Amino acid sequence: MVMDLFRSEEMMLAQLIIPADAAHETITLLGQVGMFQFKDLNADKSAFQRTYANQVKRCDEMLRKLRFFSDQITKSDIMVSPKAGGMSRPYDLDELEAKLEELEAELLEVNSNQEKLSRSHSELVELQLVLEKAGGFFEEAMTGASTIQDELRMRESYPGEDRSPMIEQPLLNSGDIELQEVSEAGGMRSMNQLGFVTGLVLTEKAASFERVLFRATRGNMFLKLAHIEGKVNDPALGTKLEKSVFVVFFAGERARSKILKLCEAVGANRYPFPEDRSRQRQMNAEVNARLRELFVTLEAGIRQRETVLGQIAQNLADWNLQVSREKAVYHTLNKLSIDVTRKCLIAEGWCPTVARRRLVDAIDRATYQSSAQVNTIFKELHTKEAPPTFFQTNKVTEVFQDIVDAYGVARYREINPAVYTIVTFPFLFAVMFGDLGHGLMMLMVAAFLVIYEKKLSNVNNEIFNMVFAGRYCILLMSLFSVYTGILYNEFFSMPMTLFGRSHFICGSDPSLPFSRCPEASQTGVVMDPSMDTPYPFGLDPVWHGTKTELQFTNSMKMKMSVIMGVVQMSAGICLSLLNHLHARDRLSLYFEFIPQILFLSAMFGYLSVLIMMKWTMGTRETPIKADLYHVMIYMFLQPGNVDCTDENGVAGCPENLMFAGQGGFQLFLVLVMFVCVPCMLFPKPLILKKRHEARLAQGFMHLDDDDDENDHGHGEEFVFSDVLVHQIIHTIEFVLGAVSNTASYLRLWALSLAHAQLSAVFWERILMLGVQIGNPLVMVVCFFMWAMATLGVLMAMESLSAFLHALRLHWVEFMNKFYHGDGYKFVPFDFVDVGKELTA
């Protein structure tokens, strides 16, 4: 699999001549293979002008119905449990279309009946509440009226008392009958009707409703409200709302008209209310009977609806997949051109050469299944068009390929950086994140994601899915972090003795610990005579907590970062050699690769050698004290003068001379660098110009695939000024980038230092502070604060920062040395992608 990733798969442009009666079956089986990328041969036609536009519309309509079913199932909270054996029975497209139309009509009818019944039920419930609350109003009024009537009869027994109208006479009447009143003289006179309106209004609108009524009737009304406990289902909206029953008393037809309009304006529901008690009781009984009937009918309707939706839910996923595949097939068929006889279709597309046998088998099988009289013709086409890029990846390598593709898709058959990124990316991350404790925490998270990947693959959360997709990258990053944590000898910033005790002792008293050794902070500790060798692995724990710890680790990590950067950039330039050899581009080999590798080696390769010499060649008695900053600066300011020799021949810095002949060697390196710049700048454009003029003199354009100019002209007209400017930019970018890119690798040192210091601060200033206080409650609080700081700052923010910096080092410093990234992906017609779109 790694060798498959090294370069993209070899591709071929193929042409298919498919009989019309076998076209659908052929495209379907090619979609099952998933190794053919169709070219659009009808790009000049709109979607409505294509041959299979009507079939695509049919599929769209069927998908609309399936989305409608899915929404109804979701609203009804029906669990979708597909049958173990798939669909109850397979349908072809016409049968499925008829089935879906039948189910939609049935479901729409059931929904319509259900909605009507629910509306009627809600209206009856509201009418029942009106009868109950309004009946209470009138019952209360009649009780008060009886008391007043008794008082009036008692007054009639006394002479000279005024006689008031009789209470028995109806004052509230919903008809047009005039009310009669006894006058003071014993005669009768007529008066206007006093009517009323009853109904329900939203509680939140009750106050505004009362104010508007008062203003519209100029106070000639009386409103009585009663709040309903709980919420009432609104007939129009179908949702439960808080409502109040109202009764409005008024006089006159104009007031009645105004009140009815205001009820409509505020959305109040009006209901009839009889004044007669017997009629009220009769209506209440009728409403209760209707409610019981409607409840039974509603229950039956709900069961019928759930039965229909349950049958749909069992096959919904399979139907969705089938229709989506059919739509994809017809979309693909629309890319094919039809010959003038309309008896065959012509397709063109790209496919990997290794998949040719599978494609031919699928085409033959389609011809057999469709009973076509003519076989489909599969033939290879020769073209100058750049093929697409295709890498076969698995679940481990896919994330690293995605990291590379985010920068740019590789050019066809170009060296793939993902092969090296599998190792270098987690390692550079770990250099910045090195800590055994933090690495183990990340390892536990990665192991959880890997072990339960089947269960977690169904989680539908965008942020989690992003982390889950990179689980194997996180796993490698955590393993490398454990390794670098052991190398740095840090466990949550604390030193470890995994490989034995320190090889240093206190000079005055070897039994004393370093914290109590008097010369530890003055002359320093000394090497144990019995262990006259370096620490077996990683950093000696003696450095932790000393005054020179930061100075020592800074120097070590900074030099280590420079060496890593030079090695990785040199590897990138060497990979460009493989690209040049594969393209047979000798011109770029001689005048790009060779000058670039010499320039980088003469400057920073030499610096890396000096660093390793300083680390390995010195002894305790005669350490190398050369100032490498001074050496590199004066290598250009005073070439050949290493030890700062003045006019009198006196060496000002003899410690900078690390080996014999160093001055002459440095002068030679400077000359090499100065020669490399014009070699990168001028020869290549001039040679390309000469070749172009030679072809023009011959009177034809050379079209050989192996020509060196293929990598530069890309079939375009040769313009010398453009080529020269491009080469100047490329040369300047490399020369300046050699310095800036090397300096950029110092971020490895900076982030490693920041991570270690933050971890030490959290440990000493939070956790150890609680331990020193000794109070159990304070210790628990401090531990919680330390855990939150570790998880939030170090594990989340620091890991993200290290990830982004490692990403930049690969994209900018490493990949720009050899990677063009101007290709395009191989996107075959594949039913697997259709299924992924449905589950996304």
Side-chain angles (χ1 to χ4, degrees):
M1 181 59 68
V2 173
M3 292 308 296
D4 293 339
L5 279 178
F6 189 73
R7 291 189 189 275
S8 61
E9 295 287 343
E10 292 187 3
M11 308 294 291
M12 58 179 289
L13 181 64
Q15 184 184 64
L16 305 178
I17 302 177
I18 311 171
D21 49 356
H24 183 277
E25 193 68 28
T26 300
I27 301 301
T28 300
L29 291 180
L30 289 179
Q32 294 176 2
V33 175
M35 282 292 173
F36 197 89
Q37 176 179 330
F38 289 88
K39 295 176 65 176
D40 192 355
L41 303 181
N42 300 314
D44 56 333
K45 295 182 180 180
S46 66
F48 302 101
Q49 295 175 328
R50 305 201 178 196
T51 307
Y52 296 92
N54 292 330
Q55 285 80 354
V56 173
K57 290 180 184 178
R58 287 176 58 196
C59 293
D60 284 333
E61 179 64 18
M62 294 168 68
L63 288 173
R64 182 198 61 78
K65 294 175 183 178
L66 291 172
R67 287 194 299 270
F68 168 70
F69 295 152
S70 179
D71 293 340
Q72 294 296 311
I73 291 171
T74 303
K75 290 179 181 178
S76 301
D77 294 330
I78 295 178
M79 297 297 296
V80 180
S81 54
K83 294 181 179 179
M87 286 188 292
S88 54
R89 75 177 187 86
Y91 295 94
D92 61 26
L93 192 62
D94 295 331
E95 291 178 339
L96 183 58
E97 184 179 21
K99 180 68 174 178
L100 295 180
E101 187 173 354
E102 177 187 348
L103 289 173
E104 184 188 30
E106 181 180 0
L107 189 57
L108 287 174
E109 183 180 0
V110 170
N111 288 344
S112 178
N113 295 336
Q114 190 79 8
E115 184 179 354
K116 291 178 182 178
L117 291 174
S118 298
R119 186 183 181 93
S120 300
H121 184 270
S122 300
E123 289 176 348
L124 287 175
V125 170
E126 289 192 348
L127 177 57
Q128 187 182 42
L129 291 171
V130 169
L131 292 173
E132 177 185 347
K133 297 293 183 180
F137 295 157
F138 285 92
E139 185 70 27
E140 182 181 354
M142 293 301 295
T143 303
S146 299
T147 304
I148 296 173
Q149 184 177 8
D150 293 339
E151 293 179 356
L152 290 176
R153 287 175 177 171
M154 293 177 62
R155 291 178 185 178
E156 289 180 358
S157 61
Y158 297 96
E161 295 284 344
D162 294 336
R163 299 182 63 189
S164 300
M166 301 300 291
I167 300 301
E168 302 92 1
Q169 295 178 355
L171 295 179
L172 302 177
N173 196 339
S174 58
D176 295 332
I177 303 174
E178 292 184 347
L179 300 178
Q180 305 293 327
E181 186 179 25
V182 180
S183 65
E184 295 180 357
M188 303 294 291
R189 67 177 180 86
S190 64
M191 63 174 294
N192 291 332
Q193 168 193 355
L194 184 63
F196 63 92
V197 174
T198 58
L200 280 86
V201 67
L202 291 176
T203 303
E204 61 183 13
K205 295 182 178 180
S208 60
F209 180 54
E210 183 175 5
R211 286 195 301 270
V212 173
L213 282 175
F214 184 84
R215 293 172 182 171
T217 61
R218 298 184 180 181
N220 295 322
M221 65 91 195
F222 177 72
L223 177 66
K224 189 73 174 177
L225 289 168
H227 180 66
I228 300 174
E229 297 295 333
K231 294 185 178 181
V232 181
N233 194 38
D234 187 80
L237 301 177
T239 56
K240 291 188 176 296
L241 303 171
E242 291 186 356
K243 291 191 174 185
S244 300
V245 175
F246 68 87
V247 180
V248 184
F249 298 95
F250 60 87
E253 187 62 29
R254 290 184 61 188
R256 179 177 181 274
S257 177
K258 291 181 180 179
I259 292 172
L260 293 181
K261 290 180 180 179
L262 290 175
C263 289
E264 293 178 1
V266 298
N269 298 328
R270 295 181 293 106
Y271 294 97
F273 181 79
E275 184 182 350
D276 185 58
R277 286 186 178 181
S278 60
R279 178 61 182 147
Q280 292 177 19
R281 287 191 292 269
Q282 180 183 356
M283 183 178 288
N284 198 8
E286 292 175 356
V287 168
N288 289 331
R290 287 285 309 279
L291 282 174
R292 287 192 293 270
E293 293 175 1
L294 278 177
F295 180 78
V296 174
T297 308
L298 277 172
E299 287 294 321
I302 291 174
R303 287 194 297 270
Q304 180 186 1
R305 185 171 183 271
E306 289 180 350
T307 301
V308 174
L309 290 176
Q311 294 175 354
I312 295 174
Q314 291 179 350
N315 300 310
L316 184 63
D318 294 325
W319 288 346
N320 256 318
L321 183 60
Q322 180 181 352
V323 176
S324 297
R325 286 185 173 185
E326 289 291 333
K327 181 181 177 182
V329 168
Y330 285 118
H331 264 304
T332 304
L333 285 170
N334 278 332
K335 296 180 180 181
L336 277 58
S337 64
I338 302 179
D339 70 336
V340 292
T341 63
R342 305 189 70 83
K343 293 183 178 180
C344 65
L345 288 81
I346 301 173
E348 290 183 7
W350 297 99
C351 65
T353 55
V354 296
R356 177 170 183 165
R357 183 70 263 165
R358 294 171 57 192
L359 294 173
V360 172
D361 291 342
I363 291 171
D364 293 341
R365 194 163 64 252
T367 303
Y368 173 77
Q369 293 179 2
S370 60
S371 301
Q373 298 179 355
V374 182
N375 292 332
T376 299
I377 300 175
F378 182 98
K379 66 177 181 178
E380 183 178 357
L381 299 179
H382 298 283
T383 179
K384 294 292 182 180
E385 183 181 353
T389 302
F390 174 56
F391 296 104
Q392 293 188 8
T393 59
N394 54 33
K395 60 183 180 181
V396 178
T397 59
E398 183 179 8
V399 59
F400 298 99
Q401 189 63 55
D402 290 341
I403 289 175
V404 173
D405 291 344
Y407 176 83
V409 179
R411 184 181 292 182
Y412 178 64
R413 300 295 290 169
E414 183 180 21
I415 291 291
N416 185 17
V419 177
Y420 311 96
T421 303
I422 295 174
V423 176
T424 59
F425 184 86
F427 177 71
L428 292 184
F429 170 87
V431 171
M432 297 177 277
F433 195 74
D435 188 286
L436 178 58
H438 300 151
L440 290 175
M441 292 177 66
M442 183 177 289
L443 180 61
M444 289 188 290
V445 174
F448 173 78
L449 295 176
V450 171
I451 293 173
Y452 296 100
E453 62 180 8
K454 290 186 178 179
K455 295 181 179 178
L456 297 176
S457 60
N458 299 322
V459 176
N460 188 16
N461 182 279
E462 185 176 357
I463 297 178
F464 175 81
N465 290 339
M466 190 185 306
V467 177
F468 180 74
R471 59 193 180 278
Y472 288 100
C473 181
I474 298 174
L475 178 64
L476 290 177
M477 290 191 302
S478 62
L479 292 174
F480 277 102
S481 296
V482 170
Y483 167 74
T484 54
I486 298 174
L487 196 64
Y488 295 158
N489 204 350
E490 290 185 354
F491 182 81
F492 294 112
S493 78
M494 297 302 294
M496 303 175 293
T497 56
L498 296 177
F499 301 95
R501 65 177 182 85
S502 172
H503 288 199
F504 290 85
I505 58 173
C506 182
S508 59
D509 187 356
S511 62
L512 290 176
F514 298 124
S515 58
R516 294 171 56 188
C517 182
E519 63 265 27
S521 59
Q522 299 173 4
T523 60
V525 294
V526 298
M527 180 72 76
D528 189 347
S530 61
M531 298 181 178
D532 195 14
T533 56
Y535 198 68
F537 187 83
L539 195 65
D540 195 305
V542 71
W543 291 103
H544 182 77
T546 62
K547 292 184 177 181
T548 55
E549 176 190 9
L550 198 58
Q551 180 181 357
F552 172 75
T553 54
N554 271 352
S555 176
M556 179 195 69
K557 291 182 178 180
M558 180 174 61
K559 293 180 175 64
M560 180 181 66
S561 300
V562 172
I563 294 174
M564 289 180 182
V566 173
V567 170
Q568 189 173 35
M569 289 190 294
S570 300
I573 297 176
C574 291
L575 291 177
S576 69
L577 170 64
L578 300 180
N579 280 335
H580 299 327
L581 293 175
H582 180 267
R584 301 181 184 179
D585 187 1
R586 296 187 298 274
L587 195 58
S588 296
L589 172 64
Y590 297 144
F591 298 107
E592 282 189 2
F593 166 72
I594 294 177
Q596 286 178 1
I597 194 68
L598 289 177
F599 185 90
L600 185 64
S601 300
M603 183 180 292
F604 294 106
Y606 174 63
L607 174 61
S608 302
V609 172
L610 293 181
I611 291 173
M612 290 185 286
M613 288 177 61
K614 188 175 179 180
W615 280 349
T616 57
M617 293 179 64
T619 62
R620 279 189 299 170
E621 292 77 14
T622 58
I624 297 178
K625 298 181 180 180
D627 187 352
L628 299 184
Y629 295 107
H630 190 277
V631 171
M632 294 302 297
I633 291 173
Y634 278 86
M635 177 179 173
F636 295 94
L637 294 181
Q638 296 181 3
N641 188 4
V642 180
D643 54 0
C644 311
T645 304
D646 57 14
E647 297 176 354
N648 300 323
V650 179
C653 49
E655 67 277 3
N656 288 345
L657 187 62
M658 300 177 65
F659 59 90
Q662 184 176 354
F665 184 68
Q666 290 185 175
L667 179 60
F668 170 73
L669 294 180
V670 172
L671 293 176
V672 168
M673 285 185 282
F674 276 103
V675 171
C676 288
V677 174
C679 288
M680 287 186 286
L681 188 59
F682 297 112
K684 185 174 178 180
L686 293 175
I687 294 175
L688 290 176
K689 180 182 179 183
K690 184 177 180 181
R691 290 179 179 178
H692 178 70
E693 292 173 348
R695 286 195 300 270
L696 291 179
Q698 294 175 359
F700 65 93
M701 296 293 293
H702 187 55
L703 297 178
D704 188 6
D705 289 340
D706 298 337
D707 185 31
D708 292 338
E709 193 179 330
N710 285 346
D711 193 42
H712 314 289
H714 300 289
E716 300 177 359
E717 183 180 356
F718 180 84
V719 180
F720 176 72
S721 59
D722 292 345
V723 175
L724 181 61
V725 170
H726 177 270
Q727 194 66 24
I728 292 174
I729 294 173
H730 183 72
T731 303
I732 295 175
E733 181 183 7
F734 176 80
V735 172
L736 297 181
V739 180
S740 63
N741 292 349
T742 305
S744 182
Y745 277 92
L746 294 178
R747 69 185 69 238
L748 298 173
W749 155 54
L751 266 76
S752 176
L753 174 65
H755 186 83
Q757 293 302 308
L758 278 174
S759 181
V761 168
F762 292 156
W763 181 275
E764 296 173 2
R765 302 300 180 185
I766 299 180
L767 187 61
M768 289 297 103
L769 179 63
V771 175
Q772 292 172 4
I773 293 175
N775 189 319
L777 180 60
V778 175
M779 293 173 64
V780 172
V781 172
C782 289
F783 176 79
F784 177 78
M785 294 174 60
W786 172 80
M788 291 298 101
T790 300
L791 292 174
V793 178
L794 296 176
M795 297 302 300
M797 297 174 60
E798 276 286 312
S799 62
L800 180 60
S801 176
F803 181 90
L804 294 176
H805 283 285
L807 196 64
R808 183 243 154 77
L809 290 176
H810 280 77
W811 281 357
V812 179
E813 278 70 35
F814 173 58
M815 288 165 53
N816 72 345
K817 301 295 185 297
F818 67 97
Y819 188 63
H820 293 94
D822 56 356
Y824 64 100
K825 265 189 176 182
F826 174 63
V827 185
F829 173 60
D830 192 355
F831 283 156
V832 174
D833 296 333
V834 176
K836 289 180 180 179
E837 291 177 1
L838 289 176
T839 57

